[in-house]
Amino acid sequence: MAVELKNLTKRSENYSQWYNELVVKADLAEQSAVRGCMVIKPYGYAIWEKMQHELDRMFKETGHQNAYFPLLIPKSFFGREAEHVKGFAKECAVVTHYRLREAEGGGIEVDPDAKLEEELIVRPTSETIIWNTYKNWIKSYRDLPILCNQWANVMRWEMRTRLFLRTAEFLWQEGHTAHATEAEAVAEAQRMLGVYADFAENYMAVPVIKGVKSETERFAGAKDTYTIEAMMQDGKALQSGTSHFLGQNFAKSFDVQFIDQNNQLQYVWATSWGVSTRLMGALIMTHSDDNGLVLPPKLAPIQVVIVPIYKGDDQLKQIDAKVEGIVAKLRGMGISVKYDNADNKRPGFKFADYEVKGVPVRLVMGGRDLENNTIEVMRRDTLEKETRSCDGIEEYVQHLLDEIQQNVYQKALSYRNGRITSVDTYDEFKQKIEEGGFIMAHWDGTPETEAQIKEETKATIRCVPFDTYVEGDKEPGKCMVTGKPSKCRVLFARAY
Amino acid sequence: MAVELKNLTKRSENYSQWYNELVVKADLAEQSAVRGCMVIKPYGYAIWEKMQHELDRMFKETGHQNAYFPLLIPKSFFGREAEHVKGFAKECAVVTHYRLREAEGGGIEVDPDAKLEEELIVRPTSETIIWNTYKNWIKSYRDLPILCNQWANVMRWEMRTRLFLRTAEFLWQEGHTAHATEAEAVAEAQRMLGVYADFAENYMAVPVIKGVKSETERFAGAKDTYTIEAMMQDGKALQSGTSHFLGQNFAKSFDVQFIDQNNQLQYVWATSWGVSTRLMGALIMTHSDDNGLVLPPKLAPIQVVIVPIYKGDDQLKQIDAKVEGIVAKLRGMGISVKYDNADNKRPGFKFADYEVKGVPVRLVMGGRDLENNTIEVMRRDTLEKETRSCDGIEEYVQHLLDEIQQNVYQKALSYRNGRITSVDTYDEFKQKIEEGGFIMAHWDGTPETEAQIKEETKATIRCVPFDTYVEGDKEPGKCMVTGKPSKCRVLFARAY
């Protein structure tokens, strides 16, 4: 097993294989017996739970409440919103029957008599069923806004799947809000994008570019899609969260109107926003290295692991006694600590295991340390080791965790910022895109040119960034492909 | 709306209708557009979240970790365990296709070319997919025990549904553990039953009887099913949680073996245990009254509501200022408080709304109170009102919340204990069962007699209780139906 851990493919050799192996070796997830569906293992799920916990707190602090809507959606609901149907009524899991029976000659089979009158779709997203419900909740402006979120599983029958990044079933949250005015709905969609960016940068330590999607890349049924885009270590973009201003599209499709303060009937304005277990992929690919996972301390299920190295039970008992005090003090500071004195695994195995699992800080105490009142400290992000006095070690570790959190963010930020370039010609674009990274370039704003670029270079427009990333990127210019006028540079990249 | 709230059917008139109305009027849940599937509304979901939070903490304190397994299970998996297939391969949602397409002449239809080779079943419970996964996780005794829990949605295509009590889709947790020895697995199944009983009594304030199910009522595939049984206010039983000792059944069906300490291959021992949103039904039916919901403070999303009664903005501002200090102090004590000074609803409406929603403590401050430094305190469980000085009101409220928690439990306990009777003849049984309540009687231990009793009286054996509820119930006797020998009395009731 320890040997297996060491056999991780190097990122420089095959980035894609490195990722696939790491997810499995770090015990995060694995393929299940069901095509495209994953099993999220306890260690992976513990990271997801930490993400959920922080996001849920942020949603509640911004006034949202959780609710739960049905897993299955009547097929006809998808047809109601003209754009939505094109985007989502495609590769879906379809429930057609509601009973099994014993087959003649053994085994079980679907009972042909138990066919549903209308097929039910396992939700790929819940706008339709939720707006069909909101119709009953909203009568007057007094009922608005509605600020709901749902933590749920969803399914999209993807043909090519990869653990966390693209799976047939995934876990996510989907916020669905209803407002009396357009301005309020737009503000909500932007506020939630801000929450996502805050979470990505301050908890995941993943720097993101906030912006708005082109029409082509918009959510099916949205007026505008806002996005946060992160850069992975292979220079590819990963869309990490989206927030949609839906206008009155779903209100009109599901006939959701309210009486405003002037006693006039109006259609309701909507938003929806979501992040998913895909964030696990972003987290892994942003920070990890050839030795395994690197986790930002704020999302690490185990922040500190302590391993004893000892000869004989007597020495172990002495180390146990010494470590007990350190563990208690660290826990009192709200730090999650594991003391691994299990005797069925050698220290070398433990070291490799916690390294591949990305535990931010490792403390090791041996016989010599016991004599000297010292302890060895290793930080996972830089792999630096030092031996320190046990006195004040808890405060030092607390400080170190903060430093690691900052360091992994700064490292990711430097990496990304060093790979945003600006190009003016399509030839240069074609050359640069092969090197990976983000490219800021002028585009004429048409779906046709966008499609041509995608076809010829596999690059897509990730967003029109809100902030400035290269000098003058908000100034007008000429499309690199057609030479037509362009309002500003937009962000291109190859993407997951 | 305020009028609607008052129109709640009385329990004595029609208990069933009272329940159905209450769930809707208290804003807990509603029927969705999908047959048998409910929408859990924000207020209902907030209670469920509090339940989840406490249970999850208890699971983790007993060494369990969360994980996530696929929603869809291959049809053939259900056929592997002989008993399990009889129990679960029945009324299930069956996924047969994975694509929709545009229909000729508009609309969308299922693409007949996208038929799955093997149908997939929306999980009714996850033993099969989980044991198929555990096969890869378990090689040696060093890999044991595995102590996993999953929070998930499941589906059982119930024909007659009622909000929370019996719905096609419901939310639950399912623990699935793997052990090296039979003794350890039995101990685990019993420990988790203890956790459920602790939660039911100390958080939900619902007294429960712990016991073991008869063979007929056992989980399909279990060697033993342990249960907690609660009594609703109509004298009917509600099974509130079950924990199963599965023996080696699933390990054998999915070929899960491990090498023990003596280097011998052994099949793994298993347990599974679950509670669901059905607990919401138990909570509602145990405590609530003709005025609406009564919530035990430990599970109340809002523990204290404060309502001002004022004339004019000036007085409201004075009350706001006074209440602000009380709110801050209560929050500092960890009490969830809502100060409802919204001016678009009259106090009478607010009173009725919070009453039907079961908020444990209501504080009201009016102009007179402002002058006298007093505040009106109402407790929801007894509806008693008193006017108290504002000095020390926070400590008083904290104490009152504890008292309400105790009181609702004691009230439910007295009610239940007053309705457990002991009978010796079948005639007496038939008479008593009409009055509702729990009956302790002798039974010969055969499924045939059990079936006869169910057929003739609609009563089922809820469990063989672990503790003593009527004098001598653990002593042997004669079956009330057949006169054959009986080891002890067992608990009968009509049940949800």
Side-chain angles (χ1 to χ4, degrees), chain A residues 180 248 256-260 262 264-269:
Chain A
Q248 295 173 311
V256 188
Q257 299 186 71
F258 71 102
I259 294 167
D260 72 9
N262 304 318
Q264 300 293 309
L265 260 186
Q266 303 268 6
Y267 282 107
V268 178
W269 299 85

PDB file of all heavy atoms in Angstrom, chain A residues 180 248 256-260 262 264-269:
ATOM      1  N   ALA A 180     -39.659  40.893  -6.744  1.00  0.00           N
ATOM      2  CA  ALA A 180     -40.677  41.794  -7.299  1.00  0.00           C
ATOM      3  C   ALA A 180     -40.131  42.669  -8.416  1.00  0.00           C
ATOM      4  O   ALA A 180     -40.894  43.120  -9.271  1.00  0.00           O
ATOM      5  CB  ALA A 180     -41.258  42.669  -6.188  1.00  0.00           C
ATOM      6  N   GLN A 248     -37.910  37.056 -16.445  1.00  0.00           N
ATOM      7  CA  GLN A 248     -39.266  36.581 -16.107  1.00  0.00           C
ATOM      8  C   GLN A 248     -39.590  35.302 -16.883  1.00  0.00           C
ATOM      9  O   GLN A 248     -40.748  34.897 -16.949  1.00  0.00           O
ATOM     10  CB  GLN A 248     -40.286  37.682 -16.452  1.00  0.00           C
ATOM     11  CG  GLN A 248     -40.117  38.939 -15.601  1.00  0.00           C
ATOM     12  CD  GLN A 248     -41.012  40.077 -16.073  1.00  0.00           C
ATOM     13  OE1 GLN A 248     -41.044  40.376 -17.267  1.00  0.00           O
ATOM     14  NE2 GLN A 248     -41.728  40.692 -15.150  1.00  0.00           N
ATOM     15  N   VAL A 256     -46.457  32.599 -13.049  1.00  0.00           N
ATOM     16  CA  VAL A 256     -46.308  33.052 -11.664  1.00  0.00           C
ATOM     17  C   VAL A 256     -46.364  34.572 -11.643  1.00  0.00           C
ATOM     18  O   VAL A 256     -45.421  35.263 -12.027  1.00  0.00           O
ATOM     19  CB  VAL A 256     -44.986  32.560 -11.035  1.00  0.00           C
ATOM     20  CG1 VAL A 256     -44.957  32.890  -9.547  1.00  0.00           C
ATOM     21  CG2 VAL A 256     -44.811  31.063 -11.263  1.00  0.00           C
ATOM     22  N   GLN A 257     -47.508  35.086 -11.202  1.00  0.00           N
ATOM     23  CA  GLN A 257     -47.711  36.529 -11.150  1.00  0.00           C
ATOM     24  C   GLN A 257     -48.029  36.962  -9.733  1.00  0.00           C
ATOM     25  O   GLN A 257     -48.473  36.168  -8.918  1.00  0.00           O
ATOM     26  CB  GLN A 257     -48.865  36.924 -12.077  1.00  0.00           C
ATOM     27  CG  GLN A 257     -48.613  36.584 -13.539  1.00  0.00           C
ATOM     28  CD  GLN A 257     -49.708  37.129 -14.443  1.00  0.00           C
ATOM     29  OE1 GLN A 257     -49.813  38.330 -14.644  1.00  0.00           O
ATOM     30  NE2 GLN A 257     -50.525  36.249 -14.978  1.00  0.00           N
ATOM     31  N   PHE A 258     -47.789  38.246  -9.466  1.00  0.00           N
ATOM     32  CA  PHE A 258     -48.120  38.790  -8.143  1.00  0.00           C
ATOM     33  C   PHE A 258     -48.774  40.160  -8.313  1.00  0.00           C
ATOM     34  O   PHE A 258     -48.591  40.821  -9.339  1.00  0.00           O
ATOM     35  CB  PHE A 258     -46.867  38.899  -7.273  1.00  0.00           C
ATOM     36  CG  PHE A 258     -45.909  39.982  -7.709  1.00  0.00           C
ATOM     37  CD1 PHE A 258     -45.848  41.201  -7.032  1.00  0.00           C
ATOM     38  CD2 PHE A 258     -45.073  39.788  -8.807  1.00  0.00           C
ATOM     39  CE1 PHE A 258     -44.959  42.194  -7.435  1.00  0.00           C
ATOM     40  CE2 PHE A 258     -44.190  40.786  -9.217  1.00  0.00           C
ATOM     41  CZ  PHE A 258     -44.133  41.996  -8.534  1.00  0.00           C
ATOM     42  N   ILE A 259     -49.520  40.540  -7.278  1.00  0.00           N
ATOM     43  CA  ILE A 259     -50.139  41.870  -7.284  1.00  0.00           C
ATOM     44  C   ILE A 259     -49.167  42.826  -6.612  1.00  0.00           C
ATOM     45  O   ILE A 259     -48.790  42.620  -5.454  1.00  0.00           O
ATOM     46  CB  ILE A 259     -51.491  41.838  -6.543  1.00  0.00           C
ATOM     47  CG1 ILE A 259     -52.459  40.960  -7.346  1.00  0.00           C
ATOM     48  CG2 ILE A 259     -52.038  43.240  -6.360  1.00  0.00           C
ATOM     49  CD1 ILE A 259     -53.709  40.594  -6.592  1.00  0.00           C
ATOM     50  N   ASP A 260     -48.734  43.827  -7.353  1.00  0.00           N
ATOM     51  CA  ASP A 260     -47.728  44.738  -6.808  1.00  0.00           C
ATOM     52  C   ASP A 260     -48.376  45.793  -5.912  1.00  0.00           C
ATOM     53  O   ASP A 260     -49.591  45.769  -5.675  1.00  0.00           O
ATOM     54  CB  ASP A 260     -46.868  45.334  -7.925  1.00  0.00           C
ATOM     55  CG  ASP A 260     -47.622  46.354  -8.763  1.00  0.00           C
ATOM     56  OD1 ASP A 260     -48.758  46.723  -8.386  1.00  0.00           O
ATOM     57  OD2 ASP A 260     -47.081  46.777  -9.800  1.00  0.00           O
ATOM     58  N   ASN A 262     -49.117  48.713  -6.416  1.00  0.00           N
ATOM     59  CA  ASN A 262     -50.109  49.545  -7.105  1.00  0.00           C
ATOM     60  C   ASN A 262     -51.293  48.719  -7.601  1.00  0.00           C
ATOM     61  O   ASN A 262     -52.033  49.148  -8.477  1.00  0.00           O
ATOM     62  CB  ASN A 262     -49.457  50.255  -8.292  1.00  0.00           C
ATOM     63  CG  ASN A 262     -48.258  51.056  -7.861  1.00  0.00           C
ATOM     64  OD1 ASN A 262     -48.300  51.729  -6.826  1.00  0.00           O
ATOM     65  ND2 ASN A 262     -47.174  50.971  -8.627  1.00  0.00           N
ATOM     66  N   GLN A 264     -51.312  46.088  -9.430  1.00  0.00           N
ATOM     67  CA  GLN A 264     -51.177  45.599 -10.798  1.00  0.00           C
ATOM     68  C   GLN A 264     -50.593  44.187 -10.782  1.00  0.00           C
ATOM     69  O   GLN A 264     -49.726  43.891  -9.969  1.00  0.00           O
ATOM     70  CB  GLN A 264     -50.200  46.492 -11.588  1.00  0.00           C
ATOM     71  CG  GLN A 264     -50.605  47.942 -11.682  1.00  0.00           C
ATOM     72  CD  GLN A 264     -51.869  48.119 -12.512  1.00  0.00           C
ATOM     73  OE1 GLN A 264     -51.958  47.620 -13.630  1.00  0.00           O
ATOM     74  NE2 GLN A 264     -52.868  48.794 -11.937  1.00  0.00           N
ATOM     75  N   LEU A 265     -51.058  43.349 -11.706  1.00  0.00           N
ATOM     76  CA  LEU A 265     -50.493  42.005 -11.848  1.00  0.00           C
ATOM     77  C   LEU A 265     -49.159  42.086 -12.589  1.00  0.00           C
ATOM     78  O   LEU A 265     -49.077  42.710 -13.658  1.00  0.00           O
ATOM     79  CB  LEU A 265     -51.439  41.111 -12.653  1.00  0.00           C
ATOM     80  CG  LEU A 265     -52.334  40.153 -11.885  1.00  0.00           C
ATOM     81  CD1 LEU A 265     -53.090  39.266 -12.864  1.00  0.00           C
ATOM     82  CD2 LEU A 265     -51.543  39.269 -10.918  1.00  0.00           C
ATOM     83  N   GLN A 266     -48.131  41.473 -12.041  1.00  0.00           N
ATOM     84  CA  GLN A 266     -46.803  41.492 -12.656  1.00  0.00           C
ATOM     85  C   GLN A 266     -46.227  40.078 -12.629  1.00  0.00           C
ATOM     86  O   GLN A 266     -46.503  39.324 -11.704  1.00  0.00           O
ATOM     87  CB  GLN A 266     -45.848  42.364 -11.829  1.00  0.00           C
ATOM     88  CG  GLN A 266     -46.288  43.776 -11.612  1.00  0.00           C
ATOM     89  CD  GLN A 266     -45.748  44.704 -12.685  1.00  0.00           C
ATOM     90  OE1 GLN A 266     -45.132  44.245 -13.659  1.00  0.00           O
ATOM     91  NE2 GLN A 266     -45.987  45.986 -12.526  1.00  0.00           N
ATOM     92  N   TYR A 267     -45.384  39.768 -13.609  1.00  0.00           N
ATOM     93  CA  TYR A 267     -44.657  38.507 -13.540  1.00  0.00           C
ATOM     94  C   TYR A 267     -43.475  38.660 -12.581  1.00  0.00           C
ATOM     95  O   TYR A 267     -42.883  39.746 -12.466  1.00  0.00           O
ATOM     96  CB  TYR A 267     -44.152  38.084 -14.930  1.00  0.00           C
ATOM     97  CG  TYR A 267     -45.249  37.493 -15.776  1.00  0.00           C
ATOM     98  CD1 TYR A 267     -45.789  38.209 -16.846  1.00  0.00           C
ATOM     99  CD2 TYR A 267     -45.759  36.236 -15.494  1.00  0.00           C
ATOM    100  CE1 TYR A 267     -46.816  37.676 -17.619  1.00  0.00           C
ATOM    101  CE2 TYR A 267     -46.783  35.706 -16.254  1.00  0.00           C
ATOM    102  CZ  TYR A 267     -47.310  36.425 -17.316  1.00  0.00           C
ATOM    103  OH  TYR A 267     -48.324  35.891 -18.067  1.00  0.00           O
ATOM    104  N   VAL A 268     -43.142  37.572 -11.929  1.00  0.00           N
ATOM    105  CA  VAL A 268     -42.075  37.566 -10.923  1.00  0.00           C
ATOM    106  C   VAL A 268     -40.705  37.459 -11.610  1.00  0.00           C
ATOM    107  O   VAL A 268     -40.586  36.836 -12.667  1.00  0.00           O
ATOM    108  CB  VAL A 268     -42.300  36.369  -9.953  1.00  0.00           C
ATOM    109  CG1 VAL A 268     -41.198  36.291  -8.922  1.00  0.00           C
ATOM    110  CG2 VAL A 268     -43.660  36.481  -9.279  1.00  0.00           C
ATOM    111  N   TRP A 269     -39.690  38.072 -11.016  1.00  0.00           N
ATOM    112  CA  TRP A 269     -38.306  37.997 -11.514  1.00  0.00           C
ATOM    113  C   TRP A 269     -37.540  36.916 -10.762  1.00  0.00           C
ATOM    114  O   TRP A 269     -37.750  36.736  -9.562  1.00  0.00           O
ATOM    115  CB  TRP A 269     -37.621  39.349 -11.343  1.00  0.00           C
ATOM    116  CG  TRP A 269     -38.296  40.446 -12.115  1.00  0.00           C
ATOM    117  CD1 TRP A 269     -39.359  41.200 -11.706  1.00  0.00           C
ATOM    118  CD2 TRP A 269     -37.988  40.867 -13.453  1.00  0.00           C
ATOM    119  NE1 TRP A 269     -39.735  42.082 -12.699  1.00  0.00           N
ATOM    120  CE2 TRP A 269     -38.906  41.903 -13.776  1.00  0.00           C
ATOM    121  CE3 TRP A 269     -37.031  40.480 -14.400  1.00  0.00           C
ATOM    122  CZ2 TRP A 269     -38.885  42.540 -15.026  1.00  0.00           C
ATOM    123  CZ3 TRP A 269     -37.017  41.134 -15.624  1.00  0.00           C
ATOM    124  CH2 TRP A 269     -37.931  42.141 -15.934  1.00  0.00           C
TER     125      TRP A 269
END
